[in-house]
Amino acid sequence: MAVPDLAAAVEHMERRLGLGATVSPDAPERHSRVFLDRSYLEVSTGSPSADWEATLFFLRFSHPVALRAHLEAAGIDHRFGEYEGVDGTWDDVEIRVGAVPLPILVRRTAPAAVARDWPPALRQEHRCGARSLAAVHVEVPSLDEAIGAYHRLLATDEASPPVAKAGSGGGRARIPLASGELVVHEGSPSGSVGVVLGVRSLATPRAALGGSMRPTDEDDVAWVDPAETCGLRLGFTEAGG
């Protein structure tokens, strides 16, 4: 997530959305994380407008040699690099398949003591009840092209495609991951990203956010009024585990 003013965003997330952000001590004016269980939302300065924007998303990997071999065998264009963050170092792999919005593949490597168990398990639920990253929603120009690209990336069986269906927003497909899922929507080339957080009960975020949450949609997601999220697509869903 890119925001125009980190301090204002962190305060708004806590006060209005019930999400606590941990500000990075090495860059308190520009970087923070909203920790979930074994995942997190990275919140940093960089938005050129007054809105909050989420345009990048990431998937973890564990074995660089195996990953490189898979990407080469799958014919996926890729570039291995190293990213120096505000508090550590990551292997950073950019991948490309046509015009499909794809994640950056990452693996934390330093500090070693932190990298061994990164991201950490959730210590305490947020005030809104958020516990997990249940789904990331991404807009794509072509659903068929996106499904094909993710089959290649995730090495899934072409005979068992993701669940694809039509809905109020046009065609979409649900792509399961190790935890949560990716939901790709056809109809826009923007690659804009929406975030769905998992809660035990939707009653908790409804109580924390007042009347700003909409009724659940066909995916059982209750989206928050964009006026409360500075334009960010943020929703909640009941997720076990």
Side-chain angles (χ1 to χ4, degrees), residues 151 154-162:
H151 271 310
L154 301 174
T156 52
D157 186 356
E158 289 282 357
S160 302

Side-chain angles (χ1 to χ4, degrees), residues 36-37 39-41 131-136 179-181 195-198:
L36 301 160
D37 190 50
S39 60
Y40 56 88
L41 306 181
R131 305 171 62 240
S132 64
L133 181 56
V136 170
S179 61
E181 62 184 3
V195 176
V196 179
L197 304 180

Side-chain angles (χ1 to χ4, degrees), residues 1 18 140 241:
M1 286 173 51
V140 301

Side-chain angles (χ1 to χ4, degrees), residues 1-6 44-54 230:
M1 286 173 51
V3 299
D5 183 301
L6 183 64
S44 59
T45 56
S47 175
S49 70
D51 289 338
W52 298 353
E53 299 179 315
C230 300

Side-chain angles (χ1 to χ4, degrees), residues 68-161:
R68 188 187 298 270
H70 165 64
L71 294 176
E72 291 176 353
I76 296 176
D77 289 340
H78 57 279
R79 184 190 66 81
F80 275 72
E82 185 175 81
Y83 175 73
E84 189 70 33
V86 298
D87 56 3
T89 306
W90 278 257
D91 283 338
D92 191 273
V93 185
E94 296 180 8
I95 54 177
R96 183 180 299 275
V97 178
V100 178
L102 294 171
I104 296 174
L105 309 180
V106 295
R107 181 180 73 115
R108 188 165 191 173
T109 57
V114 176
R116 278 195 292 269
D117 192 40
W118 184 263
L122 183 65
R123 295 179 179 177
Q124 183 177 2
E125 290 182 5
H126 294 270
R127 182 165 54 85
C128 65
R131 305 171 62 240
S132 64
L133 181 56
V136 170
H137 288 239
V138 182
E139 295 181 349
V140 301
S142 167
L143 189 62
D144 289 340
E145 185 179 3
I147 290 174
Y150 279 99
H151 271 310
R152 291 165 63 188
L153 174 62
L154 301 174
T156 52
D157 186 356
E158 289 282 357
S160 302

Side-chain angles (χ1 to χ4, degrees), residues 1-3 12-13 17 19 34 41-43 50-56 137 192-197 214 223-235:
M1 286 173 51
V3 299
H12 183 88
M13 284 190 293
L17 303 179
L19 289 170
V34 176
L41 306 181
E42 192 162 11
V43 184
D51 289 338
W52 298 353
E53 299 179 315
T55 56
L56 297 176
H137 288 239
S192 64
V193 175
V195 176
V196 179
L197 304 180
R214 297 171 175 170
W223 295 96
V224 182
D225 184 343
E228 286 289 352
T229 59
C230 300
L232 179 74
R233 294 171 59 207
L234 176 68

